[in-house]
Amino acid sequence: MGFFVMIRDVSMGFMLLCISALWVLPIQGAGRESFSRNSSSSSLPSSVNVGALFTYDSFIGRAAKLAFVAAIEDINADQSILRGTKLNIVFQDTNCSGFVGTMGALQLMENKVVAAIGPQSSGIGHIISHVANELHVPFLSFAATDPTLSSLQYPYFLRTTQNDYFQMNAITDFVSYFRWREVVAIFVDDEYGRNGISVLGDALAKKRAKISYKAAFPPGADNSSISDLLASVNLMESRIFVVHVNPDSGLNIFSVAKSLGMMGSGYVWITTDWLLTALDSMEPLDPRALDLLQGVVAFRHYTPESDNKRQFKGRWKNLRFKESLKSDDGFNSYALYAYDSVWLVARALDVFFSQGNTVTFSNDPSLRNTNDSGIKLSKLHIFNEGERFLQVILEMNYTGLTGQIEFNSEKNRINPAYDILNIKSTGPLRVGYWSNHTGFSVAPPETLYSKPSNTSAKDQRLNEIIWPGEVIKPPRGWVFPENGKPLKIGVPNRVSYKNYASKDKNPLGVKGFCIDIFEAAIQLLPYPVPRTYILYGDGKKNPSYDNLISEVAANIFDVAVGDVTIITNRTKFVDFTQPFIESGLVVVAPVKGAKSSPWSFLKPFTIEMWAVTGALFLFVGAVIWILEHRFNEEFRGPPRRQIITVFWLVPYNY
């Protein structure tokens, strides 16, 4: 994750910066840089040291330390792995300092590091990755979730936890699930916070949503600074807050938000995995913290249930007692990732050695001329087989405590998944899961992997959520801001068909059928909507509707009202209302009242038309009489009878 801020007590606001890393070290040999060898085998070293560089006094650090100890014990007790090679571990506290952590990492590199596990800080991860690249040392992190660490710039960086890229996509799907369009991002202003929120913004844009305001605060910010920041956030229109900070300081945000009245009805608070890391580490849960967090929705790395995971959690109390840690040092998901990271290195080393590979080091030519410096950079050596060892790690495929440990082509763990939890007065309650395979579901993700991928909106499922203020109905997600501006409504200034929308001298400045429909809809809303109509076009020719749509998409106009045809290309950029006029060419004309009359049937035709019709009737009757009179007895007799017969038969001949 990023630089952490450690809080001893929510009410005190005492903060410290935190980082961590873990290094795998060989025993230093003499002469040629290589592992010391076991006398019974010429291919295996007698021992391998694992160096741990992290901050002891942090939620993640305390959990990781116990996990490292447990992993080392289990590996050395397992005769099926690293046969004849003992794994040792050496701890070093960074004392919550990025500078101390970086210098400590360089000191460990002097001991011919063959792999690095850590740090928990994304910031120091960026720094040490350059060192790892130079010395060809595979770099594994169990807690640095910054998405940019997966870039091509860091070929030796490998993440054993989940990438925040997936977490931000999960949050985006959550926002889209409830049909919200804007969020406010509250984050710590470091690599972890900035880069995570940047990915969130990109993901929201794909769903036609956005971050309306980015509220950043520096690492170690005091309550006064947080209060000023939240006060400015509360003036914004959006009430959807996404909080992406560090677990050791994040509760301060909710303490301040509570005092500002921002934890009531109408607000939505969404947090990344930091919140559950903090809560899971509290044993028992602090009632004061739960009181602050009621209604919050939090994400957490999902790890499938298994017998090994349950057994490991069952050992936690004994491990804590053995290490003489505080009774409130609880178990969190990063303990599982730390445990699996050590096992991943051990298994990879086992495969690496079984393939006949050796471990050798050579001097870095670019560091030869630094002997006159107080910092002995010349003691840093290149791991000659580092690239091959990295490839072995990337090819590993087995099941650990955190699930399937396998990496894709982008060096991310496969099958990323998250728990979605709703914080209640009794504690966190799971309301569903998210995975990139099926989106939201109420069934564990591993039960769905055998089925075809399905992320369609109609198949997304979550259980009921209790929002802040004990509200069951999903909040609207926005209010009219106190410093807000009226809606800018674009109206096409047409030359033809002005009955739809046109310029006028009334108070609105426009009139027309579409304007009347829009105004009627506005009146149905239970709140006022400040608005300003702005004519689009010069009034000399009909404006381009495609250009009008483009200006709505570019936020030059907030809304467009007019006779705009809904076509596929336009729906890619803006949302339309339900059509209220049928498609095709129609004419809008005023309705005139008319009196009812028994002669109304004559109105469809003019008098001339009726006269022509009557003349034709008589002409056809005369022709029929002339033709039938000589042969048909029906057309003989008195004149009256013959006339009646003609009028009776003429309609049948039309």
Side-chain angles (χ1 to χ4, degrees):
M1 304 183 71
F3 284 99
F4 281 167
V5 184
M6 180 61 193
I7 176 169
R8 287 288 193 177
D9 185 35
V10 173
S11 61
M12 294 175 62
F14 176 70
M15 303 179 182
L16 298 171
L17 294 175
C18 308
I19 58 173
S20 80
L22 176 69
W23 306 90
V24 178
L25 313 172
I27 293 293
Q28 184 173 354
R32 176 68 173 173
E33 292 87 342
S34 62
F35 278 101
S36 60
R37 302 297 179 187
N38 190 314
S39 59
S40 62
S41 173
S42 60
S43 61
L44 294 178
S46 60
S47 63
V48 176
N49 289 343
V50 179
L53 180 70
F54 65 101
T55 297
Y56 292 176
D57 196 14
S58 67
F59 284 133
I60 292 179
R62 289 191 291 270
K65 183 177 181 179
L66 293 181
F68 292 149
V69 172
I72 293 296
E73 291 179 353
D74 293 346
I75 291 169
N76 289 331
D78 191 340
Q79 299 301 317
S80 65
I81 187 170
L82 290 178
R83 292 168 293 276
T85 300
K86 182 180 180 182
L87 204 61
N88 301 318
I89 189 165
V90 179
F91 295 104
Q92 183 172 346
D93 189 1
T94 60
N95 199 25
C96 296
S97 169
F99 175 76
V100 173
T102 302
M103 298 306 297
L106 291 174
Q107 291 175 358
L108 288 177
M109 285 290 190
E110 294 178 359
N111 294 288
K112 302 181 178 60
V113 173
V114 296
I117 303 178
Q120 69 191 46
S121 162
S122 296
I124 195 172
H126 282 273
I127 299 173
I128 302 178
S129 289
H130 292 288
V131 179
N133 291 348
E134 179 69 21
L135 302 180
H136 297 180
V137 176
F139 184 13
L140 293 76
S141 176
F142 67 94
T145 56
D146 176 7
T148 63
L149 284 170
S150 295
S151 67
L152 297 176
Q153 184 181 9
Y154 308 115
Y156 283 87
F157 179 86
L158 185 63
R159 198 191 321 267
T160 58
T161 185
Q162 296 294 353
N163 189 334
D164 266 348
Y165 170 85
F166 301 108
Q167 182 167 209
M168 295 308 169
N169 276 273
I171 292 175
T172 296
D173 286 349
F174 187 81
V175 171
S176 178
Y177 181 85
F178 290 101
R179 300 183 180 180
W180 297 317
R181 289 299 184 188
E182 294 186 5
V183 304
V184 173
I186 302 172
F187 60 98
V188 59
D189 193 11
D190 60 9
E191 288 85 353
Y192 159 73
R194 287 191 303 270
N195 296 331
I197 293 302
S198 176
V199 171
L200 176 63
D202 294 340
L204 287 170
K206 294 178 182 178
K207 298 283 188 178
R208 288 164 56 183
K210 65 178 182 179
I211 298 176
S212 60
Y213 185 73
K214 293 182 179 181
F217 62 88
D222 56 22
N223 282 3
S224 176
S225 299
I226 295 175
S227 180
D228 293 341
L229 182 71
L230 292 185
S232 64
V233 163
N234 205 29
L235 298 175
M236 301 294 114
E237 177 181 355
S238 177
R239 285 294 182 262
I240 314 299
F241 302 136
V242 177
V243 185
H244 185 51
V245 296
N246 299 306
D248 299 278
S249 64
L251 292 179
N252 272 0
I253 293 175
F254 289 100
S255 177
V256 174
K258 183 85 170 179
S259 66
L260 295 176
M262 297 174 65
M263 297 300 297
S265 177
Y267 290 88
V268 175
W269 291 87
I270 305 169
T271 74
T272 52
D273 66 286
W274 68 267
L275 180 58
L276 268 301
T277 298
L279 293 182
D280 289 344
S281 300
M282 298 178 184
E283 289 190 4
L285 283 172
D286 187 350
R288 293 176 300 171
L290 293 178
D291 181 62
L292 294 175
L293 300 169
Q294 287 192 40
V296 174
V297 174
F299 284 70
R300 178 176 63 193
H301 297 118
Y302 173 72
T303 55
E305 293 298 324
S306 65
D307 291 338
N308 289 337
K309 178 182 173 181
R310 283 186 286 269
Q311 291 173 6
F312 181 71
K313 293 177 69 174
R315 296 168 54 192
W316 194 256
K317 184 175 181 180
N318 292 333
L319 288 169
R320 191 170 56 193
F321 176 78
K322 183 178 180 180
E323 295 299 317
S324 300
L325 296 181
K326 296 184 296 183
S327 60
D328 60 347
D329 290 328
F331 176 90
N332 61 57
S333 62
Y334 285 100
L336 299 174
Y337 287 106
Y339 182 90
D340 275 354
S341 297
V342 180
W343 267 98
L344 176 60
V345 172
R347 289 178 181 273
L349 281 172
D350 191 53
V351 173
F352 180 77
F353 291 136
S354 68
Q355 294 176 349
N357 295 296
T358 59
V359 175
T360 60
F361 294 86
S362 60
N363 294 325
D364 189 340
S366 62
L367 300 177
R368 287 181 178 178
N369 299 322
T370 59
N371 290 329
D372 56 340
S373 171
I375 302 176
K376 301 299 183 182
L377 296 180
S378 59
K379 292 186 178 180
L380 302 179
H381 299 83
I382 295 176
F383 179 20
N384 297 325
E385 293 79 15
E387 184 175 357
R388 175 56 193 155
F389 185 47
L390 173 63
Q391 190 60 36
V392 171
I393 296 174
L394 291 173
E395 293 172 356
M396 297 301 296
N397 184 356
Y398 69 97
T399 301
L401 298 185
T402 56
Q404 187 69 17
I405 298 180
E406 184 180 354
F407 300 94
N408 60 21
S409 59
E410 297 178 350
K411 297 188 295 185
N412 289 316
R413 290 277 298 270
I414 65 169
N415 298 331
Y418 291 86
D419 293 315
I420 299 100
L421 297 105
N422 186 202
I423 312 301
K424 300 184 178 181
S425 58
T426 55
L429 177 66
R430 182 186 288 112
V431 295
Y433 307 88
W434 178 92
S435 72
N436 67 338
H437 183 75
T438 56
F440 293 116
S441 68
V442 294
E446 68 271 14
T447 63
L448 305 175
Y449 290 143
S450 59
K451 301 178 181 179
S453 178
N454 182 10
T455 57
S456 62
K458 65 182 181 66
D459 294 319
Q460 304 299 290
R461 296 288 184 273
L462 286 175
N463 291 325
E464 184 179 76
I465 296 175
I466 306 298
W467 305 97
E470 301 293 330
V471 176
I472 298 177
K473 182 180 179 181
R476 185 174 63 197
W478 61 273
V479 295
F480 284 103
E482 297 181 12
N483 60 347
K485 299 178 181 179
L487 286 176
K488 293 181 293 184
I489 304 173
V491 178
N493 191 9
R494 294 187 56 91
V495 177
S496 59
Y497 297 111
K498 290 188 175 183
N499 287 329
Y500 288 116
S502 62
K503 183 179 179 180
D504 194 66
K505 295 181 179 180
N506 63 20
L508 294 178
V510 291
K511 67 176 183 179
F513 179 68
C514 294
I515 303 300
D516 293 341
I517 293 290
F518 183 76
E519 284 294 316
I522 289 291
Q523 298 305 318
L524 294 176
L525 297 176
Y527 45 82
V529 180
R531 57 199 179 278
T532 301
Y533 290 96
I534 303 172
L535 290 169
Y536 182 75
D538 56 12
K540 298 179 181 179
K541 61 180 181 180
N542 291 334
S544 169
Y545 280 45
D546 286 335
N547 292 342
L548 175 60
I549 294 299
S550 297
E551 295 202 8
V552 173
N555 291 326
I556 297 175
F557 292 116
D558 298 312
V559 183
V561 176
D563 54 329
V564 183
T565 304
I566 304 174
I567 59 178
T568 302
N569 188 51
R570 292 173 180 172
T571 59
K572 295 178 181 179
F573 304 101
V574 297
D575 289 328
F576 285 89
T577 64
Q578 290 294 323
F580 53 86
I581 299 177
E582 292 184 3
S583 61
L585 181 63
V586 296
V587 177
V588 178
V591 177
K592 296 181 180 179
K595 296 181 179 180
S596 177
S597 170
W599 300 101
S600 297
F601 71 92
L602 297 175
K603 290 185 177 181
F605 296 149
T606 62
I607 295 176
E608 291 80 3
M609 186 65 185
W610 282 117
V612 171
T613 302
L616 288 173
F617 186 87
L618 294 175
F619 174 75
V620 172
V623 171
I624 293 174
W625 182 83
I626 292 172
L627 296 175
E628 296 290 338
H629 175 72
R630 292 176 296 172
F631 308 104
N632 194 336
E633 294 182 357
E634 295 291 334
F635 285 84
R636 296 177 184 178
R640 181 173 178 271
R641 178 184 175 185
Q642 294 184 45
I643 293 173
I644 292 174
T645 301
V646 168
F647 276 89
W648 177 261
L649 294 176
V650 165
Y652 290 100
N653 291 274
Y654 262 92

